Amino acid sequence: MNFNFANERPADADAIIFAVPKNGLADLQLDLEQGGTVKAGAKAARFDGKLGEVFETFVTESDKILRVVLTGLGKGKAKDAESAGGSAIAKILASGAKHAAVDPSSLDEKILARFLFGAKLRSWRHDKYRTKMPEKQKVTLQNITVLDADLATSKAWTDLSAVADGVALTRELVAEPANAIYPESFVARCEELKELGVEFTVLGWDEMEKLGMGALLGVSQGSERPPRLLAMRWDGTNGEQKTPLALVGKGVTFDTGGISLKPGAGMEEMKWDMGGAGAVAGTMKALAGRKAKAHVVGVCGLVENMPDGKAQRPGDVVTSMNGQTIEVINTDAEGRLVLCDAMHWTQETFKPDVLIDLATLTGAMIIALGNEHAGCFSNDDGLAENLLEAGKDSGDPLWRLPVGPAYDKLINSPIADMKNVGPRGAGSITAAQFLKRFVQDGVKWAHLDIAGMVWADKPSPVWDKGATGYGVRLLNQYVVDQLES
Ligand code: BES
Ligand code: MN
Ligand code: ZN
C-alpha cells in the first residue's frame, strides 16, 4: 500500500473515507456534492459512528462514481482511531476500489496518524503463494491519499509508519512456512536491518558449541538445518545509554516436538513457533526505522526441533552455557532449552539491567488466557506494571501470572539440577520458573508467553486471519515510555 499526502483530492481517487465520532453524524461536514444524501443514507442505515461500524455508499461527484466510506470512531481516543482506520480499509481492500482518499477534517494530527497506522496495519497481506486466487478476492486498493500534505513529514506519522513496517516484518517471518523460514533464512531475511544502522552478531553451531550451549544445541541436533544465534543491536543514544535493554525471542522455526512427537493434527501451526524471535526482529526494525533514542539489543535463538536418529532422547541430560544441568524429560518442551542459553549469553555479552523474553512457550497459556492476552511473568513489580501499561496503550495486551518458590521446586530433578517439565498443573508457570533459573542477580526480567497471540483464526480491525505481529507495538511502546520519555 502506498500512502500519499496532498491537500487536494486526486482526480483518480475512486473512494473517500470519513471518520465519524459516536453520535457525530448530524455535525458531520461532508465535502461532497451529495453530502446531504450520504448523511441521510447513513442515518437510515442506523450508522451512528459507533466503533467498528462502517457505512458504504456511492455518489456521483464531478460526473464520476465515487465510493464513500464512513467509519465509526467511537469515543475518538487514539486506540479507537487505530481500529477505525483498520475497519475502513478492511471494508475496501478487495472491493474494487483502487485509490482511497482520507478526509482528515474531524481528526487532529496525533489521532489522524493513529488512524492511518490502523489502515497500514490492516492493509498487510500474505498472498504470495496464492497463484489461483479468485479475481474478486484479490486486493485492489493500491493507494491511500491523505488530504493533509503536512502530515507526510510529521513525526506522529513517520514514527508509526516505521512501527507498522516492523509489524509487517514480524508477520512475514511468522506467516512464511518452515521450508522458507529456518534459522539461516531467518537471519538472511533480517539482514535488511543493517541498512537502518543495526549491528549484527551471528553465531553458528561451532561457536555455540565452544561457548557450551548444550541446551540449545541439544534441541537443534535432530535437524538438518543448522542453528543460529542472532543478536541485533541498535543504539540511538550516541553511547549515552551504556547498557542496552535486552529482548530475547524463542525462534523454533518448526516444532515437531522432537522424539516426544506432537500429534499430527494441527502440527502445521508449529511453523509459527518462532513468533517470539519474529517479534524481536520486528521490534528492532521499528526502533531503527524510527531512529528511537534508545539502546536495545534483540537476540533470537533459532533452531528447528525435529525427530531423527541424531535427535536428543527423553531422559538425556544436557549442560547449559551457565553450567546448570537439565534432564530432558520431554523433547517437546524445547523452547525453554533454547531460551536458557540465549538468555545467559545475552546477559554475559551485553550486561543488561532489564531482560524481556518473548516465546510461544506453552499450550497451557492458551488454555489459561485464550487469544485475548499474553501471559507476563516477572521478578520485578515495576517492570511488570510498565509492560502491562504499554500493553494497554498499544493494543498488545498482557496479563500477569505468578512466579514463586513453590512452583520452582516442581522442576527439581533427582539426577540433574532441573528437569525441563513439571507436573500437569501450572504448565506455563513452571516453564517461567525454568527460565528464571537463568536470570542473573540484579537483572529485572519479564517473560512473555505469547502462544495465544501470534496467530489469529479470525480477523480483527488491524489484522486479517493469520499472523498478528504481536509484540512489536507492545515493545515499541515500552521503549517510548521507559527509555525515551
Ligand atoms: N511450541 C509449543 C507451545 C505451543 C503449543 C505454542 C501450541 C502454541 C500452540 C511448545 O514447545 C510445547 O510444545 N510445549 C509443550 C510443553 C509440555 C511438553 C510441557 C506444551 O505446551 O504442550
Ligand atoms: Mn514444543
Ligand atoms: Zn515449541
Side-chain angles (χ1 to χ4, degrees), residues 13-14 55 58 101 160 162-163 168 195 218 241 247 259 270 274 315 354 359 369 377 475:
D14 51 8
F55 172 73
F58 290 84
L160 287 176
V163 176
E195 284 152 40
Q241 190 197 320
L247 310 173
I259 296 300
M270 286 299 107
M274 36 52 67
V354 176
L369 298 176
F377 305 79
L475 295 170

Side-chain angles (χ1 to χ4, degrees), residues 2-331:
N2 299 311
F3 284 82
N4 317 294
F5 300 85
N7 287 329
E8 296 276 300
R9 172 146 46 95
D12 70 340
D14 51 8
I16 183 154
I17 301 171
F18 296 91
V20 185
K22 184 145 170 53
N23 300 322
L25 193 60
D27 300 332
L28 189 65
Q29 297 293 329
L30 292 180
D31 182 17
L32 295 171
E33 287 164 25
Q34 292 164 275
T37 314
V38 171
K39 279 169 68 166
K43 192 169 175 221
R46 299 196 283 186
F47 171 90
D48 63 2
K50 205 175 134 210
L51 193 63
E53 279 184 359
V54 182
F55 172 73
E56 182 187 38
T57 189
F58 290 84
V59 297
T60 324
E61 181 86 3
S62 322
D63 292 332
K64 282 198 306 196
I65 293 290
L66 181 68
R67 184 189 304 251
V68 181
V69 179
L70 308 186
T71 181
L73 200 55
K75 291 189 181 133
K77 291 188 192 144
K79 230 162 77 178
D80 302 335
E82 186 178 310
S83 71
S87 298
I89 291 312
K91 183 87 180 171
I92 61 172
L93 195 60
S95 67
K98 292 192 180 109
H99 187 166
V102 174
D103 187 306
S105 45
S106 62
L107 309 172
D108 73 33
E109 185 187 276
K110 251 180 106 175
I111 300 288
L112 175 60
R114 196 76 184 255
F115 184 88
L116 296 176
F117 180 52
K120 183 163 173 172
L121 289 171
R122 190 59 176 83
S123 65
W124 182 88
R125 299 263 291 221
H126 187 72
D127 294 332
K128 67 188 263 204
Y129 298 119
R130 303 279 311 263
T131 71
K132 295 195 163 53
M133 190 144 85
E135 214 44 46
K136 280 190 179 172
Q137 288 177 19
K138 282 188 189 160
V139 169
T140 51
L141 196 68
Q142 278 156 7
N143 285 294
I144 294 176
T145 296
V146 186
L147 305 182
D148 177 354
D150 295 339
L151 197 74
T153 51
S154 83
K155 199 170 148 53
W157 164 246
T158 54
D159 277 7
L160 287 176
S161 181
V163 176
D165 291 334
V167 172
L169 172 61
T170 302
R171 288 179 180 174
E172 185 186 327
L173 290 165
V174 166
E176 284 286 352
N179 60 339
I181 289 292
Y182 42 91
E184 286 167 292
S185 65
F186 185 109
V187 174
R189 183 62 193 81
C190 290
E191 238 143 60
E192 62 170 50
L193 270 68
K194 288 181 181 169
E195 284 152 40
L196 300 174
V198 176
E199 181 191 289
F200 272 50
T201 307
V202 183
L203 308 186
W205 181 285
D206 293 345
E207 287 115 322
M208 287 192 268
E209 189 168 54
K210 273 194 207 106
L211 288 164
M213 296 193 187
L216 184 150
L217 293 178
V219 177
S220 177
Q221 76 191 31
S223 170
E224 293 292 324
R225 309 275 197 200
R228 290 288 183 268
L229 192 74
L230 165 63
M232 294 171 278
R233 195 172 70 89
W234 164 256
D235 186 1
T237 72
N238 281 319
E240 252 172 59
Q241 190 197 320
K242 291 278 176 282
T243 57
L245 162 69
L247 310 173
V248 180
K250 169 179 172 181
V252 175
T253 58
F254 197 77
D255 180 13
T256 63
I259 296 300
S260 312
L261 194 63
K262 285 184 181 296
M267 199 200 277
E268 70 284 355
E269 296 205 331
M270 286 299 107
K271 73 172 182 180
W272 48 259
D273 208 17
M274 36 52 67
V280 168
T283 302
M284 297 311 294
K285 179 164 180 175
L287 296 176
R290 66 174 182 81
K291 303 209 174 342
K293 292 193 174 37
H295 185 190
V296 182
V297 61
V299 176
C300 301
L302 300 163
V303 303
E304 189 182 54
N305 188 23
M306 299 290 273
D308 181 77
K310 288 190 297 224
Q312 73 180 344
R313 294 148 290 258
D316 283 5
V317 175
V318 295
T319 304
S320 67
M321 183 180 166
N322 77 356
Q324 298 189 86
T325 57
I326 304 155
E327 184 187 9
V328 180
I329 299 291
N330 188 322
T331 66

